Amino acid sequence: MPGIEKLPIEETLEDSPQTRSLLGVFEEDTAAISNYCTQLYQAMQRIYDAQNELSAATHLTSRLLKEYDKQRFPLGGDDEVMSSTLQQFAKVIDELSSCHAVLSTQLADAMMFPITQFKERDLKEILTLKEVFQIASDDHDVAINRYSRLSKRRENDKLRAEVVEDVYTSRKKQHQTMMHYFCSLNTLQYKKKTALLEPLLGYMQAQISFFKLGSENLTQQWEEFLGTIGTSVQNVRREMEEEVGQMQQTIQEMERACDALYAPCDPDPAHSPVSRNLTRKQGYLYIRNKTGLVSSSWERQYFFTQGGNLMQQGRGEVAGGLVTDLDNSSVMAVDCDDRRFCFQVTSFDGKKVVTLQAESRKECEEWISTINNISRRIYLSENAEELAARVNQSALEAVTPSPSFQQRHESMRPTSKGRTGRASSISSVGSEPSPALSVLSLDALVAPETPIQFDIISPVSEENSGQSKTAPQSSRRSNPFGESGESTAEDSEDSILHQLFIVRFLGSMEVKTAESADVISETMRQILAARAIHNIFRMTESHLLVTCDCLKLIDPQTQVTRLRFPLSTVVQCLSHQDNKRLFGFVLQSASGRSDSRAMCYIFESNNDGEKICDSIGLAKQIALHSEMDRKAVEKKKEEDKAKEKQKEELSKQRQIEKDLEEQSRLIAASSRPANPPGSDGQFLVLSNSQSEDSDAGEEGKKKGL
């Protein structure tokens, strides 16, 4: 039997929308099982009724056969052979009627009883638990709403104690009911197998015992099959009993362990301190929605962070919706007139403000710390929690002015020396490089004081300014990387490779050499360090289209090509050694290898950077093979053209030789003397060929004249 799907009892206390969605799937499955079992029960009831009818009809047939002798037939009433034969048939059919009666009893016990028990007891128990759980859930929602509306004033402590006790009681009742409801639904996954297999097993065994098949092979086959099914049913029943025991034990442990978590008040800070190093968090919060100019309402929703976004999800919803973007946002605790434990999230542009309420002070502080960490984009690091702890410890130092960038970023430099990932990108550009890279990276790879472009700008050659002065009439600017402002249709339509990737532009800078294997890594380090120093967190998102002709950066909103890089200018492409989402490529000037200028572009992708580099390498290979095929075709065309030209010259030469031969033959025929008369006074008659030759000779002479 395959594995059994089950509901997680451990997550009943959290009662998240994901758990509710999974519960909805199990409830739909229960409804489908109930509908199917009802139909199957009706079909089996018809079998049972038909078997009872068959048994009664067989008994009636036997009784009628026995009464044959008492019939007074006008003709043939004294046939003793017929009478004795029918009596024998009556005896056999009477025995068969007894077998049918036994079969009816076996069907009632082995087929109808299990499916009736499953339909009337197990399914109804599930429905009852569902109603009880719904009532407990509604009571808990009412209690938690009353608790959330408590005033901050401490005038009525008795009312506050009653509300807290009500929340405790309703939450405990909901949790316990939910655990038992989950246990029953998980058990149903086992029971539905036995409820379907046991009636069929009883039906087949009753039929086999009734017919008493004479074929040993067939009997053995059925016995082996039924034996296998019987063993499987026993195994499922055994697994069900073990699982029920484990679930009951889990329920008992959860009831003991979660008793202190039912109360909404803050737990003991000594046992549960506030965690300020989180980069992900989820839980129920109240959100304030404006209902008018001055009025507002609060709604309880399930909130969770996903990457750099704050999401919300209601009960019964399949997926969450975006609330606000947390990148570069600000968060602070606020004092609301009617609510406690409130905090406010403001987007980076200040256009959207979200006010939320947590259940306790601890939850409020943890949400604020988590959103602060996400706003700093710490979640993109490999060791996010470790970096968050380091940043929080040095928060005071980070906002204190330093004498220089060198001293400020020396304190933020990571302790690891061999890695060049995102964590090392916060080191200062002005700091001294390591001895291994002191000469290579700064002198041979990247020109000193090279400007870094953090926005997507089409690269223009340095000679443009001079050309614009000397030739003002030319309104089109030259591009050393072969880029064009006009879109060409053959770039993408005729290409056999089309791969699209979502990338974010980090920066670009001019490098001294395009052949070195370390130029991309050094450029990554300097661009990331510059971003950290100048607090540049915004990145331009684009679609990178890789074809066999070029690389294109396309605006995802307008589908306009921002940059176009001919594939022939791409010298090398490399991903980061540690952070695989970082990659870059180096472009050589379109003027050729003699021009040493090159530009290195650095990007961050949602996918693995190695896949993008492999795609670019595949495009270059396809382009190389296409160029080789094109040259081979052109060479073949030139050879065919040369052969055709040679053939035409040979044909002309043959025509000239033929004309010369014909002309010489005509001249020879025209130079013969006139035909003398014969000795008998008669003239000689020329043959047709001779006359034709003479005529042709005369015509040739005329043409010559």
Side-chain angles (χ1 to χ4, degrees):
M1 287 289 181
I4 303 297
E5 297 290 339
K6 59 181 180 179
L7 289 165
I9 298 178
E10 296 82 1
E11 299 180 5
T12 53
L13 180 59
E14 183 180 2
D15 192 18
S16 64
Q18 288 81 4
T19 306
R20 286 296 183 103
S21 298
L22 185 60
L23 175 60
V25 175
F26 273 73
E27 288 177 348
E28 291 179 4
D29 183 73
T30 303
I33 293 172
S34 178
N35 185 26
Y36 180 79
C37 287
T38 301
Q39 297 178 8
L40 185 62
Y41 172 80
Q42 294 174 356
M44 291 185 175
Q45 185 66 39
R46 292 181 62 184
I47 293 175
Y48 178 66
D49 294 339
Q51 181 60 41
N52 289 335
E53 184 65 22
L54 180 60
S55 178
T58 306
H59 180 69
L60 178 60
T61 303
S62 175
R63 184 170 61 82
L64 291 175
L65 290 177
K66 289 179 180 179
E67 294 176 355
Y68 180 80
D69 291 338
K70 299 178 182 180
Q71 303 298 323
R72 295 293 182 256
F73 296 105
L75 299 174
D78 296 331
D79 192 354
E80 296 293 337
V81 176
M82 186 65 179
S83 178
S84 61
T85 303
L86 291 179
Q87 290 296 324
Q88 187 66 29
F89 272 110
K91 183 178 180 181
V92 174
I93 293 176
D94 192 17
E95 294 177 358
L96 188 59
S97 176
S98 301
C99 293
H100 277 295
V102 173
L103 178 59
S104 298
T105 304
Q106 291 179 349
L107 290 178
D109 297 336
M111 183 179 70
M112 296 305 301
F113 179 78
I115 194 169
T116 303
Q117 287 289 102
F118 178 74
K119 178 175 176 294
E120 298 297 331
R121 185 186 64 184
D122 298 329
L123 293 179
K124 286 187 177 180
E125 180 184 0
I126 294 293
L127 295 177
T128 304
L129 286 174
K130 181 179 179 181
E131 295 176 357
V132 174
F133 167 70
Q134 189 63 39
I135 294 173
S137 180
D138 294 340
D139 294 342
H140 174 259
D141 292 340
V142 173
I144 198 68
N145 285 331
R146 286 186 58 196
Y147 172 78
S148 62
R149 291 195 297 269
L150 285 176
S151 175
K152 295 187 294 183
R153 295 176 296 180
R154 299 183 178 180
E155 296 177 357
N156 197 347
D157 294 335
K158 182 178 180 181
L159 178 60
R160 179 171 299 179
E162 290 177 358
V163 173
V164 171
E165 181 65 20
D166 190 13
V167 172
Y168 172 84
T169 304
S170 60
R171 183 171 291 179
K172 182 176 182 180
K173 182 180 178 181
Q174 180 192 3
H175 185 212
Q176 294 176 351
T177 306
M178 195 173 186
M179 287 191 294
H180 289 286
Y181 184 35
F182 279 22
C183 178
S184 298
L185 289 176
N186 291 338
T187 307
L188 183 64
Q189 299 303 311
Y190 295 92
K191 287 185 177 181
K192 72 178 182 181
K193 296 181 180 296
T194 59
L196 297 179
L197 294 178
E198 283 184 347
L200 298 177
L201 182 62
Y203 173 77
M204 296 304 301
Q205 288 177 345
Q207 292 292 344
I208 288 177
S209 65
F210 171 74
F211 288 110
K212 295 182 180 180
L213 296 176
S215 175
E216 293 296 334
N217 294 332
L218 182 62
T219 303
Q220 291 179 358
Q221 293 176 1
W222 278 105
E223 287 179 354
E224 292 176 359
F225 173 73
L226 296 178
T228 303
I229 297 298
T231 303
S232 178
V233 170
Q234 294 299 326
N235 292 335
V236 172
R237 188 178 295 277
R238 190 180 304 109
E239 291 179 7
M240 179 190 70
E241 294 175 355
E242 294 177 357
E243 187 66 26
V244 169
Q246 293 179 1
M247 289 189 293
Q248 293 293 342
Q249 184 179 359
T250 303
I251 290 175
Q252 295 176 2
E253 294 176 355
M254 291 288 292
E255 288 179 349
R256 291 192 298 267
C258 299
D259 188 73
L261 301 178
Y262 294 141
C265 302
D266 287 340
D268 188 3
H271 295 85
S272 180
V274 177
S275 178
R276 304 185 184 277
N277 305 329
L278 300 177
T279 57
R280 292 183 301 174
K281 190 169 177 58
Q282 64 279 340
Y284 279 99
L285 296 173
Y286 276 88
I287 182 172
R288 185 167 66 180
N289 300 320
K290 289 187 177 181
T291 57
L293 294 177
V294 294
S295 60
S296 61
S297 63
W298 294 84
E299 183 181 5
R300 190 168 185 256
Q301 294 282 338
Y302 187 83
F303 288 82
F304 60 94
T305 60
Q306 186 176 23
N309 300 323
L310 179 63
M311 313 290 289
Q312 70 174 0
Q313 185 176 2
R315 287 185 181 178
E317 296 180 358
V318 179
L322 177 64
V323 178
T324 185
D325 185 6
L326 297 179
D327 287 343
N328 301 327
S329 63
S330 60
V331 59
M332 60 181 297
V334 294
D335 189 12
C336 294
D337 296 335
D338 55 344
R339 298 277 173 155
R340 302 175 299 167
F341 314 133
C342 296
F343 59 97
Q344 184 173 282
V345 182
T346 306
S347 61
F348 68 94
D349 54 3
K351 295 182 179 180
K352 188 170 185 179
V353 178
V354 181
T355 304
L356 303 170
Q357 179 194 12
E359 192 175 86
S360 61
R361 188 176 303 278
K362 174 179 177 294
E363 287 289 316
C364 180
E365 294 180 2
E366 286 187 352
W367 272 105
I368 292 175
S369 300
T370 303
I371 294 175
N372 271 326
N373 294 334
I374 295 176
S375 175
R376 298 169 182 170
R377 306 180 68 86
I378 297 177
Y379 67 94
L380 297 175
S381 304
E382 294 182 358
N383 299 323
E385 293 188 2
E386 180 180 344
L387 182 58
R390 189 162 61 246
V391 171
N392 288 327
Q393 290 177 0
S394 59
L396 183 59
E397 181 180 351
V399 298
T400 304
S402 300
S404 64
F405 281 113
Q406 174 75 19
Q407 297 178 2
R408 177 179 178 182
H409 291 281
E410 279 294 329
S411 62
M412 298 177 63
R413 181 176 299 174
T415 57
S416 176
K417 297 182 179 179
R419 300 177 59 186
T420 58
R422 186 179 296 273
S424 63
S425 65
I426 61 176
S427 59
S428 172
V429 176
S431 60
E432 296 182 359
S434 60
L437 294 175
S438 59
V439 179
L440 178 62
S441 61
L442 297 181
D443 295 337
L445 299 181
V446 180
E449 299 181 357
T450 301
I452 299 176
Q453 292 182 356
F454 297 108
D455 294 326
I456 296 180
I457 301 176
S458 299
V460 183
S461 61
E462 295 178 357
E463 292 84 355
N464 250 3
S465 58
Q467 291 178 1
S468 61
K469 294 179 180 179
T470 57
Q473 68 276 7
S474 177
S475 61
R476 189 176 181 182
R477 35 180 215 175
S478 62
N479 196 328
F481 298 94
E483 302 174 20
S484 174
E486 301 177 355
S487 60
T488 57
E490 62 268 18
D491 287 343
S492 58
E493 293 180 358
D494 298 336
S495 178
I496 62 175
L497 178 66
H498 290 81
Q499 289 188 340
L500 194 67
F501 303 95
I502 299 177
V503 298
R504 287 172 291 277
F505 181 69
L506 293 177
S508 63
M509 60 186 302
E510 185 177 346
V511 295
K512 281 189 174 183
T513 177
E515 304 294 338
S516 176
D518 298 327
V519 64
I520 296 179
S521 300
E522 177 62 22
T523 306
M524 286 182 184
R525 188 190 70 81
Q526 294 205 22
I527 289 178
L528 293 175
R531 278 182 169 270
I533 291 173
H534 300 291
N535 295 324
I536 301 175
F537 300 106
R538 296 294 303 276
M539 294 182 290
T540 303
E541 185 172 296
S542 303
H543 290 173
L544 177 63
L545 178 63
V546 181
T547 66
C548 298
D549 302 316
C550 63
L551 306 179
K552 284 185 178 182
L553 285 178
I554 302 174
D555 191 324
Q557 301 295 332
T558 62
Q559 299 301 315
V560 174
T561 301
R562 292 172 172 169
L563 287 178
R564 178 181 177 275
F565 308 111
L567 205 60
S568 58
T569 63
V570 180
V571 179
Q572 62 170 321
C573 182
L574 184 68
S575 63
H576 199 277
Q577 182 179 359
D578 298 325
N579 190 353
K580 299 300 181 181
R581 295 172 60 183
L582 296 179
F583 75 98
F585 52 81
V586 180
L587 302 180
Q588 185 73 42
S589 174
S591 59
R593 303 284 180 177
S594 58
D595 191 354
S596 61
R597 289 179 302 137
M599 186 71 71
C600 183
Y601 288 80
I602 306 300
F603 297 88
E604 181 187 41
S605 66
N606 294 340
N607 307 88
D608 193 350
E610 292 184 356
K611 294 182 180 179
I612 302 179
C613 295
D614 294 341
S615 178
I616 296 176
L618 177 61
K620 291 183 70 67
Q621 291 182 3
I622 294 175
L624 178 61
H625 289 295
S626 299
E627 182 68 18
M628 294 174 63
D629 294 341
R630 186 184 63 81
K631 290 182 178 180
V633 171
E634 290 180 355
K635 184 178 180 181
K636 186 177 180 181
K637 287 183 179 180
E638 292 178 357
E639 292 178 354
D640 293 342
K641 189 175 181 181
K643 290 181 180 179
E644 187 69 22
K645 186 176 181 181
Q646 184 179 3
K647 186 176 180 181
E648 290 179 358
E649 292 178 355
L650 183 61
S651 177
K652 289 181 180 180
Q653 184 69 24
R654 289 179 180 176
Q655 186 66 30
I656 292 173
E657 292 178 357
K658 186 177 180 180
D659 293 342
L660 292 175
E661 183 180 355
E662 184 71 18
Q663 187 175 4
S664 63
R665 187 169 59 83
L666 293 175
I667 293 173
S670 62
S671 62
R672 294 176 184 175
N675 295 325
S679 59
D680 54 358
Q682 299 179 354
F683 290 93
L684 295 175
V685 180
L686 294 175
S687 63
N688 293 333
S689 60
Q690 292 176 350
S691 63
E692 292 176 356
D693 293 342
S694 62
D695 294 339
E698 291 177 358
E699 292 179 359
K701 290 179 179 181
K702 291 179 181 181
K703 291 180 179 180
L705 294 176

